[in-house]
Amino acid sequence: MENMINLTIDGVQVSVPAGSTVLDAARKANVHIPTLCYLKDVNEIGACRVCVVDVGGRALQAACVYPVSEGMVVKTNTPAVRRARRMVVELLLSIHDRKCLSCPRSNNCELQDLCRDLGIDDDNRFAGEVIAHSVDDASPCVVRDNNKCVLCRRCVAACHNQQNVGVIGAVKRGFGTSIESPWGLQLAQTGCVGCGQCIVACPVGALREKDSIRAVDRLLESGKHVFVQPAPAVRAALGEEFGLPVGTPVTGKMVAALRRLGFEKVFDTDFGADLTILEEATELVQRIQNKGVLPMITSCSPGWVKYCETYNSDFIPNLSSCKSPHEMLGAVIKSYYAEKAGIDPSQMAVVSVMPCTAKKYEARRPELSNNGLPDVDEVITTRELARMIRSAGIDFASLPDEDFDRVLGESTGGAVIFGATGGVMEAALRYAYEAITGQELKQVEFHEVRGLKGVKEAVIDLGSLKLNVAVAHGTANAQKLLDSVRSGEKHYEFIEIMCCPGGCVTGGGQPIVKSSKRAEINVSAARAKALYSEDEGKPRRKSQENEELKVLYSEYLGEIGGHRAHHLLHTTYTARDPYEQIK
Amino acid sequence: MPDSKEKFELLNQVIEELKDQPGALMPVMQRAQNIFGCVSLDVQKVIAEKLGVTLSEVYGVATFYSQFKLKPAGKYTISVCLGTACYVKGSQKVLDRLSEELNIPVGDTTDDGLFTLQATRCLGACGLAPVMTVNDEVYGCLTPDDIPDILAKYRE
């Protein structure tokens, strides 16, 4: 029996496990305590003092870190508490760039919420010295504007603890404190992997994605044939931007919206995902049969690929040589489809809609091109797509459900689940099982690789072969997994790694969920559920059953993993030094 | 003076000695500063790698505590007293003039490595206020216009 502690919060009796904080207990008692620096499981440091409460002592205490004790009497809404919270927020406002009208986080800002909830009626009460920070927009993925930073350190916790990257931190002290990279470097000059987990952790507008909407507009008015492809995870989250509950799939409306935005064809990155499975699983089988480098590690996640290149370059030979699904599809659009439709590839442009900010960097990699043309021209995030839809005046809720364009629009359930951690592994197993055993796979679901455990392991029975697999999400978890392989403690044949915790569904380009909501629901699980239910509803659930894909191979690519496929669909990697810019 | 290679060997010894104790970062940085006179980028990189912390953390600590220097101190350290007596007799203006003439903020070192400028608390020479020292030499009853001539002496 767990040791329970009894306390009273605003007159409500509540009983919580020992070790809980006052904030935990208040949530159980349905008492709302405002927070700012607190982000459940990510940042719990009591820095901002917005959550102060009266616990009967001399000083007010931060509810997010103050432990409960037996018989404690907590008051959360006395005039003194409210006054203290207001002052904390007013002091923050005194150094805050209050241009809410043009802020990307307007209407989804935790500081704005606090001002409203706490009744701030003077945003200039403590006017005084302000340090003007220059905006760091040199990275292709992330823009940092410290004029809007509230020093909550949620981004620092995400970068260090979840991602084990740690290229930002608090610099200097007191009034001069700012969150930045060491030695005055821009983010682009560091070993930043571009994952954008700092953006989705930020309560305000200090971090945002590098906007590509204007570049897409220029493509749309360039006279080129502009094709668009959305990633699997986008359809599981886009609806949230239009008020739908977390985990509502909106595939049909998303396709309709993209068509109305003026794209010539709406193809599906899921087709590219099925293509990736065929190439990647074949590569795995070949590596096993030819005693190649094992474990093979997936290469779909560009944040992970850059992390590997930068911090674990000894694992580069283990990375699958497969391009990521949207790059594969881009390459196919500009070759196979160009030929089929009779369009000069140089007059084509491909726009990818991704749950990811690192994809913006990936698309610029010179090796991801064919005949001097990039496979993908521009990448926008789910959030940017939502902005485009809003500014085009499209009423998302009333859109009909439409389907992807042929002949690169079909997909199987295996592709859909790419967006969740373990999904690529599961899809690959659905193919590898049949390829290796020669028998039909009856039970297509591999539940042992699903779920949100940091590192998942399984032994898959493929007849004569027992396949040892592992799945990690969040690069801090990935690092633990790699360390265990490097030390010889663990042996696997196949590993899936996704850069972001939860996989692409909670990527750095996805709709931002406020801290209060993240304390209530598990966003990764809810969005993943949308993908798994879509998988269940698909008539075909194995990538090898994709009919359009079969046509692509028979008409154009030839053999899986063959010469033409290799030329178009595979790539190379480069070892990188995290601080090469300041040698 | 040990040369650079010997200094890094010393640093490695210090890290080996301290790395397993909790909170090793601060004492390692203090000892590193004793060895090198500052915790420069190269020194910070070694500390970060060997202690398994990020460069961000090392740099954060180095900029949080005023005792840590990122650059080696100059040949001459100019310390201007901002104690009460000196301050009311105008030492802030002397300090501002120095900062202007040397073209560095307080706490920094000139690019030629000649001067480090810092503010100090009471030097105990209040009768001579405002006071500053250049290494061990004391200058009293200063006005901002005295500064160019004093600096010229050390530039020779």
Side-chain angles (χ1 to χ4, degrees):
Chain A
M1 183 66 193
E2 207 167 8
N3 185 14
M4 298 300 278
I5 304 285
N6 303 296
L7 66 158
T8 311
I9 302 181
D10 296 344
V12 179
Q13 285 276 350
V14 61
S15 183
V16 291
S20 300
T21 64
V22 171
L23 185 64
D24 297 328
R27 200 175 294 125
K28 194 166 179 196
N30 289 319
V31 171
H32 174 71
I33 296 175
T35 59
L36 182 60
C37 72
Y38 173 83
L39 188 58
K40 187 170 181 263
D41 299 332
V42 178
N43 200 47
E44 301 174 349
I45 59 172
C48 74
R49 320 310 285 181
V50 164
C51 68
V52 288
V53 292
D54 181 342
V55 293
R58 221 155 44 94
L60 301 178
Q61 297 292 344
C64 72
V65 288
Y66 201 77
V68 294
S69 58
E70 188 61 37
M72 181 186 261
V73 177
V74 181
K75 292 176 187 155
T76 76
N77 64 4
T78 67
V81 164
R82 291 199 296 269
R83 208 159 41 234
R85 289 177 185 162
R86 270 203 304 276
M87 185 183 283
V88 167
V89 173
E90 284 164 344
L91 284 166
L92 281 173
L93 291 175
S94 75
I95 53 161
H96 190 77
D97 175 21
R98 301 187 290 276
K99 287 184 191 151
C100 294
L101 289 177
S102 55
C103 181
R105 291 296 295 276
S106 187
N107 262 329
N108 187 16
C109 170
E110 294 180 27
L111 185 60
Q112 231 173 26
D113 291 354
L114 283 172
C115 289
R116 184 195 58 222
D117 293 352
L118 301 180
I120 303 294
D121 53 9
D122 179 2
D123 69 0
N124 212 24
R125 184 171 158 214
F126 293 113
E129 191 183 342
V130 176
I131 299 172
H133 299 275
S134 54
V135 175
D136 177 6
D137 62 356
S139 154
C141 309
V142 178
V143 176
R144 173 176 280 281
D145 180 356
N146 271 343
N147 300 300
K148 292 188 172 167
C149 179
V150 293
L151 299 171
C152 68
R153 290 155 170 84
R154 279 160 53 165
C155 57
V156 177
C159 190
H160 283 255
N161 305 340
Q162 291 186 298
Q163 301 302 78
N164 195 42
V165 171
V167 291
I168 48 171
V171 167
K172 297 190 190 156
R173 69 192 287 178
F175 184 71
T177 308
S178 61
I179 307 298
E180 51 184 272
S181 299
W183 294 91
L185 293 172
Q186 293 176 311
L187 214 43
Q189 296 171 304
T190 69
C192 169
V193 300
C195 68
Q197 282 302 310
C198 54
I199 301 175
V200 290
C202 183
V204 295
L207 288 155
R208 59 177 192 267
E209 66 285 333
K210 180 82 174 231
D211 189 293
S212 305
I213 294 175
R214 283 177 179 78
V216 172
D217 277 342
R218 279 194 296 276
L219 285 177
L220 286 170
E221 60 191 3
S222 67
K224 285 189 178 180
H225 301 266
V226 187
F227 303 91
V228 71
Q229 49 160 327
V234 177
R235 63 207 69 187
L238 179 64
E240 293 164 35
E241 289 276 348
F242 301 97
L244 295 170
V246 175
T248 311
V250 292
T251 314
K253 288 187 195 307
M254 172 187 71
V255 174
L258 288 168
R259 214 162 262 142
R260 279 153 186 70
L261 285 172
F263 295 102
E264 186 168 313
K265 298 276 181 194
V266 184
F267 292 140
D268 195 355
T269 305
D270 283 13
F271 179 91
D274 277 333
L275 180 54
T276 302
I277 284 305
L278 264 54
E279 289 293 323
E280 195 165 85
T282 302
E283 183 186 350
L284 175 66
V285 173
Q286 285 170 351
R287 283 188 190 223
I288 292 170
Q289 285 169 349
N290 304 336
K291 305 216 180 317
V293 179
L294 292 172
M296 187 178 89
I297 312 179
T298 57
S299 58
C300 305
S301 165
W304 147 243
V305 167
K306 181 135 188 250
Y307 182 84
C308 181
E309 290 177 322
T310 311
Y311 301 101
N312 295 277
S313 56
D314 53 325
F315 277 100
I316 286 179
N318 299 73
L319 280 178
S320 161
S321 64
C322 287
K323 291 181 182 176
S324 68
H326 84 120
E327 294 287 339
M328 282 202 182
L329 186 60
V332 167
I333 292 171
K334 290 188 180 182
S335 55
Y336 166 69
Y337 185 77
E339 216 173 280
K340 223 176 163 68
I343 305 171
D344 174 1
S346 71
Q347 292 308 304
M348 296 175 120
V350 175
V351 174
S352 299
V353 185
M354 296 283 127
C356 179
T357 47
K359 292 275 180 201
K360 289 172 183 274
Y361 167 82
E362 182 189 46
R364 292 180 178 199
R365 284 177 177 250
E367 64 273 22
L368 295 176
S369 60
N370 186 28
N371 296 329
L373 298 173
D375 296 334
V376 170
D377 296 83
E378 291 295 340
V379 171
I380 56 170
T381 60
T382 309
R383 294 191 293 272
E384 288 167 276
L385 173 60
R387 290 209 289 277
M388 285 184 78
I389 292 170
R390 276 195 290 271
S391 75
I394 295 167
D395 179 14
F396 191 78
S398 69
L399 285 171
D401 285 343
E402 293 183 7
D403 199 4
F404 290 98
D405 283 305
R406 306 293 148 200
V407 290
L408 302 170
E410 185 185 337
S411 67
T412 70
V416 175
I417 58 175
F418 259 58
T421 165
V424 177
M425 173 63 70
E426 183 167 342
L429 293 175
R430 291 179 190 178
Y431 175 75
Y433 181 89
E434 297 193 349
I436 289 174
T437 64
Q439 289 168 0
E440 191 196 341
L441 177 67
K442 295 268 177 13
Q443 168 51 30
V444 299
E445 292 176 7
F446 291 86
H447 286 275
E448 53 272 53
V449 296
R450 295 187 181 185
L452 291 170
K453 204 173 145 215
V455 176
K456 293 165 276 187
E457 294 176 286
V459 182
I460 309 293
D461 190 350
L462 301 178
S464 58
L465 177 70
K466 302 277 179 288
L467 195 67
N468 294 283
V469 302
V471 175
H473 56 112
T475 34
N477 291 324
Q479 189 61 54
K480 283 182 208 145
L481 178 59
L482 294 182
D483 288 344
S484 72
V485 171
R486 192 183 279 125
S487 70
E489 180 198 334
K490 298 279 187 177
H491 292 278
Y492 307 103
E493 281 82 37
F494 189 29
I495 293 175
E496 177 206 290
I497 294 178
M498 291 297 153
C499 184
C500 291
C504 309
V505 285
T506 26
Q510 291 283 63
I512 294 167
V513 183
K514 285 176 188 169
S515 159
S516 52
K517 189 119 193 183
R518 279 171 73 164
E520 273 171 37
I521 60 162
N522 188 322
V523 179
S524 303
R527 288 178 183 162
K529 203 171 154 207
L531 295 181
Y532 286 120
S533 71
E534 191 142 325
D535 167 36
E536 279 168 37
K538 285 267 187 185
R540 299 193 177 99
R541 299 179 69 183
K542 303 168 199 161
S543 299
Q544 61 271 33
E545 294 172 347
N546 185 322
E547 293 296 328
E548 287 180 2
L549 196 52
K550 289 179 190 167
V551 176
L552 169 65
Y553 275 102
S554 67
E555 279 187 7
Y556 191 75
L557 290 175
E559 250 180 279
I560 299 172
H563 180 70
R564 195 165 216 177
H566 223 270
H567 172 69
L568 276 179
L569 309 178
H570 291 251
T571 186
T572 55
Y573 308 101
T574 314
R576 298 167 201 277
D577 177 337
Y579 290 104
E580 62 194 352
Q581 307 264 358
I582 49 165
K583 258 179 193 160
Chain B
M1 274 298 269
D3 68 14
S4 174
K5 198 175 154 219
E6 289 168 38
K7 286 180 184 172
F8 276 101
E9 272 163 22
L10 277 171
L11 175 62
N12 286 339
Q13 283 169 22
V14 167
I15 293 172
E16 273 310 306
E17 183 192 322
L18 298 175
K19 71 173 190 209
D20 293 325
Q21 75 178 48
L25 182 56
M26 282 281 285
V28 166
M29 287 174 72
Q30 282 167 324
R31 299 268 293 272
Q33 178 150 301
N34 289 343
I35 297 167
F36 292 88
C38 67
V39 275
S40 65
L41 172 63
D42 289 337
V43 174
Q44 288 191 18
K45 274 182 162 178
V46 171
I47 293 173
E49 195 190 318
K50 297 256 161 84
L51 288 183
V53 298
T54 61
L55 186 60
S56 270
E57 276 179 84
V58 181
Y59 185 77
V61 171
T63 56
F64 185 92
Y65 295 102
S66 56
Q67 71 173 113
F68 290 117
K69 306 268 174 280
L70 301 179
K71 286 195 221 170
K75 189 173 172 197
Y76 303 106
T77 297
I78 305 175
S79 308
V80 180
C81 177
L82 290 185
T84 312
C86 287
Y87 190 81
V88 297
K89 294 280 269 178
S91 64
Q92 182 67 49
K93 289 197 175 102
V94 173
L95 184 62
D96 291 345
R97 182 64 179 268
L98 277 160
S99 175
E100 189 189 319
E101 293 284 335
L102 296 171
N103 197 24
I104 51 169
V106 177
D108 206 350
T109 300
T110 53
D111 286 339
D112 59 9
L114 207 53
F115 295 105
T116 294
L117 179 61
Q118 62 182 33
T120 72
R121 310 226 164 173
C122 184
L123 291 167
C126 309
L128 298 174
V131 171
M132 71 175 194
T133 58
V134 180
N135 289 355
D136 293 331
E137 243 176 299
V138 181
Y139 294 83
C141 305
L142 289 165
T143 68
D145 289 339
D146 295 334
I147 297 304
D149 287 346
I150 296 172
L151 290 178
K153 228 171 80 180
Y154 293 95
R155 282 182 171 136
E156 276 166 14

